[in-house]
Amino acid sequence: MADINPAPISLPAEKYIELYNTSDYDIDLTNWIFLSEGQSERIFPYITLKSGEYLILCEDGKKDLFSQYGNVVDFLTSSDIIVSGRNLKLMMPDNSVIGEITYSDTWYNDPDKDNGGWSLERIDPANFCGESNNWAASVDQSGGTPGQKNSVFASNQDNTAPELESVKIVSSNELTLFFTENISYASGSELTNFSVNNGIGNPNNAFVDTEDKTIIHVMFTNNFADKQAYRLMIENISDNCGNIIQTTGYDFTYYRIHPVALWVKDEKRLKLDFSETADFSSAVNTGNYFCDNGIGNPEFAVRETLDSAIVHLQFTGTFPDGKEINLTVSGVKDINGNTMNDTTLKFSYYTPKENDIAVNEVLFNAFPNGNDFVELYNRSEFPIDLINLQLAKTDDENPDSIIQISPLSEENKYFNPGTYLAFTTSKKGVLTFYMSKNEENIYEIPSMPTYPDDKGTVVLLYKDTSVIDKFSYNENMQFPLLDDHEGVSLERVNYGKPTQETSNWHSASELVGFATPAYQNSQYNDGTNAGNAPVNIDPHVFSPDNDGFDDYANINFKFNTPRSEEHTSELQSH
């Protein structure tokens, strides 16, 4: 029981943890250790947990509240159990881990119970490797079942072996392996379970990550050679249920340390990402970095603590806006002393101006079980880092106030010129209803502004303050012959025309399923057929049936009088 707000229906309004002895023998828990992540160790008193029996752990001084339910040890503190995300360990006196879990409030699988007052129960106590798929909210009317068989008890065996997901080259003699599920400590540390060909052999060290049990770190005595292809072989790796991985081979080619990404933080700062951990001394040596265009060497070079493959550079001079700059990197070594080849990287510092990025499509009235999305198009000639962009809305009560500012990315990611990107809180909630030619360009973000179904304003910001584009929509902008606007996006006809020009927006075509997330709009018209006549109608014949083909006509006017401008109007059938 991790969340007692609101309180359980009839159980004590106190947090607790239940242990269960699944073995066929009694276990002496004297001097065993319970450890909640970030807290002090709690040492068990003299107590034996008999086979098939339960033990309740609660806060100090709360024993009498739980005694009616069974055996109790009251040695926890109020900070040992939080609502979600805490790692809990049960260890023997020698610190051997017997049981471990990092629980989450997403495991309730019941929106009526995940706000508190119900315990999380293990479905199958004999399943030692199941996590979210082996836990559920209690269905007992009291809110939980301390000291007795869980109300959700059922056979829920895990017969699926782990699989290798990916491999990261950490250095010239270290690999990090990522698996689909938690790996047992014993199999993850057995050196003979790993080998690399071409003279590398078995590792001299291997261990399961202490924070994420799906990760194994593997270190070798011999270094990988530059530009040499290798094959890593993995066998006998198992999860905590004894399911053993099939013998797996992974091919990789090692390249000596080199920059893999360069990010422009602002007018004076760069972020440089290397292919592997960079040696500290060479990484922070400002003489190893040089920018042309009068910029010179950085005044500071700082290697990140959490990710030592990343180096931050800060210069005294400012980068010229919109001009290509060359950064030369040399002399940086990996942690084994191998020096990189001299490399020159090109970059441009650019601050996006108003309308450089266009709000290009908005789904504000999604289908039931679907999700809204906002599509953007980069009209500029420069890549723009998504980490600096945010979606927002205006306050209905105060239209000049911008609220609900939502970042488009928590990490550096370039929005390239001529590219469409769509943003939503659920990619599945979009792709369930619409096809996309660029699914990889549909980005799922943790939160988005709430855009009402009738009217609202979509705001695109740069660094929380500068408005790049703003679009005020209302449902009356939809195609008037549609019977229902639900699930129909508004598409921008031409991203080169003013955002708020009503005639520049149209309902997405029925032929594409009423939305085109992350690719060219079904109603797009670049206006190239305008011609040179004083009055031009394009097309001459139009069919307003919302099929995405000639649904409207553009009437273009050209005047020969001084200071006259070309004017365009849109004609639709109403």
Side-chain angles (χ1 to χ4, degrees), residues 280 282-286 289 298-303 311-314:
F280 179 80
S282 61
V284 301
N285 183 347
T286 57
Y289 312 94
E299 61 175 335
F300 301 114
V302 180
R303 192 186 73 171
V311 177
H312 296 270
L313 306 177
Q314 179 169 316

Side-chain angles (χ1 to χ4, degrees), residues 164-184:
L164 180 68
E165 273 191 334
S166 61
V167 174
K168 177 182 178 181
I169 301 173
V170 178
S171 71
S172 57
N173 69 339
E174 182 178 349
L175 303 174
T176 298
L177 317 182
F178 299 85
F179 293 86
T180 55
E181 59 179 301
N182 289 348
I183 302 301
S184 71

